């Protein structure tokens, strides 16, 4: 039975990086709503009930602890959750499909469709269904079609409310989002459902940041937002390659162009490449959509963003190999950072995965260090067994190494004792800064051969 103590019962299906943090924030800001988060993954739900949460996000644990067991509950009982809910948020994973038609590009909607069928099977009352997962355009229409096949005469209103949070700053993004987008049908029932959602968010988000649109615009906006963000990274990374050849400095170029208010200075940091579960997947999803509608030029344009990212991984490993006398076989290379960015334990699609694979193909002895992501790194690289070493302590990782490569911009790497590391390394000691995080002149003075990204290297011995 719905819990009448609360104004409404909200359910979230999927307790991952989106479902957990977003529902924790809603519970924290809206004590009048009862929030239940369900997942088929028993271990994940068990972890949400402890202080060892299944994901790391700064500030998340405090918020969970404030609301948990008051108006925030975690459960594996999906059916009960559905039955009791007035509003169902769906945050299940929508990875790239790896089989059949559209393999490697389109979204795999099997988890999504299963939730639709669960909702249809179990529901005994009208519900608003909120798409939180990132989905191809018109998925809401498909979902409504599935939900309308029942003979229970229930009304399901599907609305789109894509999540724009960035991992690592998720709690800040959820508390003060640039915008919340809510797309619905422009019918009476669609507008009513849209307003119910607006009412929830208006508890802490200013009205002018709650923007509304039709369903398709909302679904498409999420794919386009991620594609534009990734495009900025690939654009500056492409320029980093040129900078290295013409003795320009990519940080100076980024600064110079970023001061133009039409361009802006965000997302202009050259790096080893973007990662995370979303950028590549969402671009490929956009590419697939365009191809399906015969827009091949548009598809090719966006697909190149991904190709440029792959090229950046390849280029980074080429720089390492060429600098180290064209062979890294048997050389110990310490990778500092494995998470796809700082302040997260998430390693999905991390550049570090691809770089490790390429280093292993060159028969290097790879050691991986990361303050939060070792567990995930071990899973990602399980096929290599004991051939890869894991050391949470960066000093142990670098001990005896021929080279250190910075792959994640963790703050802690800025403050390491690089003299001590240098003394413990093989000589010449190489450092490849894939995030331009460190003080390169200082490292050079210590004695390192320094290879920043998108800047000329600082080397003691000159090639002849
Ligand atoms: N991670 C991000 O930063 C981010 C940001 C914005 C949007 N998104 C989108 O949000 C969606 C979820 O992403 P995520 O990173 O949270 O994924 P995730 O893999 O961390 O979490 C998804 C969860 O859904 C669960 N699940 C799958 N099918 C289920 C079912 N039928 N019933 C109950 N639980 C089920 C899985 O067990 C998993 O725990 C994706 O579409 C993603 O593109 C992610």
């Amino acid at each position: 039975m719905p819990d009448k103590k609360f104004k409404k019962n909200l359910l979230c299906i999927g307790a991952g990086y989106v479902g957990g943090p977003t529902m924790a924030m809603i519970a924290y800001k809206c004590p009048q709503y009862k929030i239940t988060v369900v997942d088929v993954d028993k271990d994940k739900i068990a972890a949400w009930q402890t202080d060892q949460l299944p994901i790391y996000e700064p500030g998340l644990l405090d918020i969970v602890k404030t609301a948990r067991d008051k108006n925030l509950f975690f459960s594996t009982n999906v059916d009960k959750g559905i039955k009791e809910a007035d509003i169902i948020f769906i945050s299940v994973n929508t990875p790239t499909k790896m089989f059949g038609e559209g393999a490697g590009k389109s979204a795999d909607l099997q988890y999504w469709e299963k939730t639709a069928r669960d909702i249809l099977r179990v529901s005994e009352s009208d519900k608003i269904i909120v798409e939180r997962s990132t989905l191809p355009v018109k998925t809401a229409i498909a979902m409504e079609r599935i939900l309308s096949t029942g003979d229970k005469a229930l009304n399901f209103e599907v609305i789109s409310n894509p999540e724009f949070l960035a991992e690592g700053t998720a709690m800040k993004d959820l508390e003060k989002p640039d915008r919340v987008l809510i797309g619905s049908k422009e019918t009476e029932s669609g507008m009513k459902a849209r307003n119910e959602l607006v009412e929830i968010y208006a508890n802490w988000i200013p009205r002018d940041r709650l923007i509304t649109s039709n369903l398709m615009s909302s679904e498409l906006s999420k794919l386009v937002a991620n594609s534009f963000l990734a495009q900025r990274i690939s654009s500056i990374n492409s320029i980093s390659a040129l900078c290295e050849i013409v003795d320009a400095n990519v940080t100076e170029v980024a600064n110079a162009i970023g001061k133009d208010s039409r361009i802006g200075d965000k997302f202009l940091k050259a790096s080893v490449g973007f990662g995370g579960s979303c950028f590549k997947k969402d671009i490929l999803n956009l590419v697939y959509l365009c191809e399906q509608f015969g827009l091949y030029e548009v598809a090719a344009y966006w697909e190149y963003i991904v190709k440029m990212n792959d090229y950046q991984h390849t280029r980074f490993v080429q720089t390492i190999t060429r600098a180290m006398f064209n062979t890294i076989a048997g050389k110990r290379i310490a990778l500092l950072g494995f998470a796809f960015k700082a302040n997260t334990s998430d390693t999905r699609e991390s550049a570090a995965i691809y770089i490790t694979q390429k280093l292993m193909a060159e028969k290097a002895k790879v050691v991986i260090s990361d303050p939060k992501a070792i567990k995930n790194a071990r899973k990602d690289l399980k096929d290599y067994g004991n051939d890869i070493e894991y050391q949470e302590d960066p000093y142990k990782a670098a001990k005896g190494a021929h080279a250190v490569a910075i792959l994640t911009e963790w703050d802690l790497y800025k403050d390491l004792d690089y003299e001590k590391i240098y003394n413990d390394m093989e000589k010449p000691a190489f450092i490849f800064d894939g995030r331009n995080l460190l003080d390169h002149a200082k490292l050079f003075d210590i004695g390192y051969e320094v290879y920043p990204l998108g800047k000329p290297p600082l080397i003691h011995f000159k090639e002849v």
Side-chain angles (χ1 to χ4, degrees):
M1 281 296 288
D3 198 328
K4 293 292 173 204
K5 222 168 57 196
F6 295 96
K7 181 173 177 180
K8 285 260 156 84
N9 289 300
L10 314 189
L11 174 76
C12 176
I13 304 182
Y17 284 88
V18 167
T22 53
M23 299 321 280
M25 185 58 75
I26 295 178
Y28 175 63
K29 296 288 185 184
C30 310
Q32 69 276 34
Y33 292 98
K34 180 181 175 187
I35 320 282
T36 308
V37 186
V38 292
D39 203 293
V40 285
D41 184 333
K42 290 187 182 62
D43 294 341
K44 207 174 260 185
I45 289 298
W48 280 111
Q49 286 158 337
T50 70
D51 289 352
Q52 306 297 317
L53 301 183
I55 59 173
Y56 172 72
E57 268 300 330
L60 174 62
L61 181 60
D62 288 344
I63 287 192
V64 168
K65 277 164 82 170
T66 312
R68 197 167 51 198
D69 298 330
K70 295 192 184 84
N71 68 328
L72 175 65
F73 303 89
F74 295 94
S75 163
T76 50
N77 196 336
V78 180
D79 285 5
K80 180 166 177 281
I82 293 173
K83 223 174 258 174
E84 293 178 355
D86 302 299
I87 304 178
I88 302 178
F89 294 74
I90 306 184
S91 304
V92 299
N93 36 331
T94 51
T96 302
K97 193 176 172 200
M98 297 315 280
F99 52 89
E101 180 95 9
K105 279 190 187 155
S106 77
D108 182 348
L109 296 177
Q110 58 173 310
Y111 309 103
W112 175 258
E113 176 156 350
K114 180 169 182 312
T115 59
R117 298 205 179 267
D118 284 346
I119 292 169
L120 179 63
R121 177 176 52 79
V122 175
S123 290
E124 291 169 355
S125 57
D126 294 352
K127 295 180 197 305
I128 295 172
I129 314 295
V130 186
E131 283 181 350
R132 298 284 288 153
S133 302
T134 305
L135 294 154
V137 182
K138 294 196 171 175
T139 305
I141 305 288
M143 178 152 226
E144 232 173 53
R145 205 164 286 157
I146 295 172
L147 292 173
S148 63
T149 56
D151 51 10
K152 295 186 190 165
L154 296 176
N155 180 41
F156 298 99
E157 194 65 37
V158 183
I159 56 183
S160 161
N161 172 218
E163 180 49 61
F164 294 103
L165 68 77
E167 286 177 30
T169 53
M171 303 321 285
K172 273 194 223 149
D173 297 343
L174 289 166
E175 186 150 30
K176 289 195 167 71
D178 290 343
R179 77 319 204 173
V180 169
L181 176 59
I182 302 169
S184 70
K185 286 199 300 198
E186 277 146 346
T187 56
E188 200 187 325
S189 60
M191 301 304 269
K192 194 164 165 267
R194 175 196 280 194
N195 290 339
E196 286 223 28
L197 212 55
V198 167
E199 199 189 319
I200 296 173
Y201 288 119
N203 278 288
W204 79 97
I205 297 166
R207 290 269 170 168
D208 61 354
R209 298 206 168 192
L210 302 177
I211 56 176
T212 53
S213 73
N214 79 23
L215 267 178
M216 271 63 84
S217 303
S218 175
E219 289 176 327
L220 184 58
S221 297
K222 175 65 196 176
L223 295 182
V224 174
N226 272 354
S227 301
F228 266 64
L229 289 170
Q231 179 204 45
R232 299 265 296 190
I233 298 174
S234 276
S235 295
I236 199 68
N237 280 345
S238 72
I239 298 304
S240 74
L242 187 58
C243 286
E244 286 168 26
I245 295 171
V246 299
D247 285 353
N249 177 328
V250 75
T251 307
E252 291 174 356
V253 174
N255 183 43
I257 65 166
K259 292 276 188 249
D260 184 328
S261 58
R262 293 166 303 175
I263 296 175
D265 60 3
K266 304 252 172 71
F267 261 65
L268 281 183
K269 267 198 159 163
S271 69
V272 279
F274 59 75
S277 64
C278 295
F279 281 3
K280 182 173 169 184
K281 155 178 94 67
D282 294 350
I283 296 175
L284 292 175
N285 203 332
L286 183 67
V287 167
Y288 185 67
L289 266 178
C290 294
E291 283 174 351
Q292 277 205 314
F293 296 123
L295 299 172
Y296 299 109
E297 284 76 9
V298 182
Y301 172 76
W302 287 106
E303 193 165 14
Y304 228 90
I305 310 296
V306 176
K307 287 190 181 154
M308 186 54 63
N309 201 48
D310 296 342
Y311 171 64
Q312 195 72 347
H313 306 149
T314 306
R315 217 168 67 70
F316 190 70
V317 175
Q318 277 172 351
T319 301
I320 295 178
T321 313
R322 287 177 189 162
M324 297 175 75
F325 319 110
N326 289 312
T327 176
I328 51 172
K331 291 182 181 167
R332 182 174 171 94
I333 300 184
L335 303 185
L336 300 193
F338 202 83
F340 82 92
K341 62 157 133 166
N343 298 320
T344 178
S345 53
D346 196 352
T347 60
R348 291 178 292 180
E349 286 297 329
S350 177
I353 299 175
Y354 297 103
I355 288 167
T356 304
Q357 287 168 345
K358 289 177 197 296
L359 293 172
M360 292 302 285
E362 291 289 343
K363 300 194 183 305
K365 286 171 78 175
V366 177
V367 190
I368 286 165
S369 189
D370 191 287
K372 298 282 177 198
I374 294 274
K375 202 167 139 199
N376 283 334
R378 280 185 191 277
K379 279 191 216 153
D380 296 329
L381 302 170
K382 63 178 181 313
D383 291 349
Y384 294 103
N386 293 333
D387 292 348
I388 292 181
E389 187 181 325
Y390 299 88
Q391 290 287 358
E392 199 172 314
D393 180 346
Y395 294 103
K396 284 190 187 151
K399 199 174 168 71
H402 295 76
V404 166
I406 308 287
L407 298 191
T408 310
E409 70 281 25
W410 287 104
D411 268 345
L412 81 101
Y413 297 146
K414 285 189 210 160
D415 303 323
L416 296 178
D417 181 346
Y418 282 97
E419 258 189 78
K420 176 178 157 49
I421 290 178
Y422 179 79
N423 291 335
D424 284 348
M425 284 176 69
E426 292 288 329
K427 307 295 174 322
F430 291 86
I431 198 150
F432 299 91
D433 188 353
R435 296 282 178 173
N436 287 336
L437 186 74
L438 308 179
D439 182 338
H440 300 137
K442 201 167 147 197
L443 293 172
F444 178 71
D445 288 345
I446 293 173
Y448 286 101
E449 310 305 325
V450 188
Y451 286 78
L453 209 131
K455 306 177 189 193
L458 302 173
I459 40 185
H460 294 92
F461 52 94
K462 297 284 173 212
E463 288 164 42
V464 280

